[in-house]
Amino acid sequence: MNCHNTAIPDVVVIEPQVFGDDRGYFFEAFNQARFSAATGCSKAFIQDNQSRSARGVLRGLHYQIGENAQDKLVRVISGEIFDVAVDIRRNSPTYGQWVGEFLSADNKRQLWVPVGFAHGFIVTSESAEVLYKITGRYDPQAERSIRWDDPQLAIDWPRDGQPLLSSKDAQAPAFADAEVFDA
């Protein structure tokens, strides 16, 4: 497994070693010891989530606060997405900055998005299936979001036209009005 930090060091791209031949391929999608060494996270993942979305669907920017704040390990098993993490830790030197990575079934990359970051993605292929390993339980009372096109964040989403949004995401508050982490 190859791991490298993004422009925001706490967000890590994980690339598995893929063994392939004429029959297909094999790779280790997750190894707790290697993952902990690369990210410093020793928390247990308590849930796996999966979503399927069509081209142009944008999900996010989402996060949870409080005791159910969630670390996320994101990967794509079909299609391609542009995955984004926004630093919402008020006292961080990278507060308000974002990083984006293309994750796909072909490149098999994963993105580690720790607590203190808002997360979102846009589907850049015909459709995409995304898997998330998370460390906190879903708590609708703790759920928060930030507007995907907030001018202060200025995320450069790869898109043609307006993305397809849920009504909740379309009504998300601006970054300046969002409840953030004081870490």
Side-chain angles (χ1 to χ4, degrees), residues 3-25:
C3 300
H4 61 87
N5 291 336
T6 63
I8 301 175
D10 294 328
V11 179
V12 178
V13 174
I14 300 169
E15 297 183 69
Q17 185 175 7
V18 180
F19 302 94
D21 59 26
D22 293 341
R23 299 169 298 150
Y25 65 83

Side-chain angles (χ1 to χ4, degrees), residues 57-61 81-86 98-100 102 118-124 146-150 153-161 163 165:
V57 168
L58 193 150
R59 296 182 183 268
L61 300 161
I81 64 171
F82 183 68
D83 204 30
V84 172
V86 178
W98 63 273
V99 292
F102 284 96
H119 172 256
F121 67 83
I122 190 167
V123 177
T124 56
I146 298 170
R147 190 166 174 83
W148 69 276
D149 62 349
D150 185 279
L153 298 177
I155 298 170
D156 187 15
W157 297 100
R159 61 189 174 89
D160 293 323
L165 304 169

Side-chain angles (χ1 to χ4, degrees), residues 8 10 87-92 94-95 115-117 180-181 183:
I8 301 175
D10 294 328
D87 190 344
I88 58 171
R89 302 169 298 173
R90 189 181 317 278
N91 299 320
S92 168
T94 55
Y95 177 69
V115 166
F117 287 80
V180 297
F181 291 80

Side-chain angles (χ1 to χ4, degrees), residues 58-136:
L58 193 150
R59 296 182 183 268
L61 300 161
H62 302 149
Y63 60 102
Q64 286 192 174
I65 59 168
E67 67 183 42
N68 292 310
Q70 298 173 331
D71 302 282
K72 297 176 182 174
L73 181 60
V74 183
R75 73 182 178 113
V76 173
I77 58 170
S78 173
E80 180 186 73
I81 64 171
F82 183 68
D83 204 30
V84 172
V86 178
D87 190 344
I88 58 171
R89 302 169 298 173
R90 189 181 317 278
N91 299 320
S92 168
T94 55
Y95 177 69
Q97 295 179 29
W98 63 273
V99 292
E101 293 285 334
F102 284 96
L103 306 181
S104 71
D106 290 338
N107 70 24
K108 298 171 185 47
R109 290 178 168 179
Q110 298 178 58
L111 191 66
W112 169 242
V113 182
V115 166
F117 287 80
H119 172 256
F121 67 83
I122 190 167
V123 177
T124 56
S125 56
E126 281 304 308
S127 65
E129 289 190 52
V130 180
L131 292 177
Y132 318 66
K133 295 181 91 53
I134 58 173
T135 60

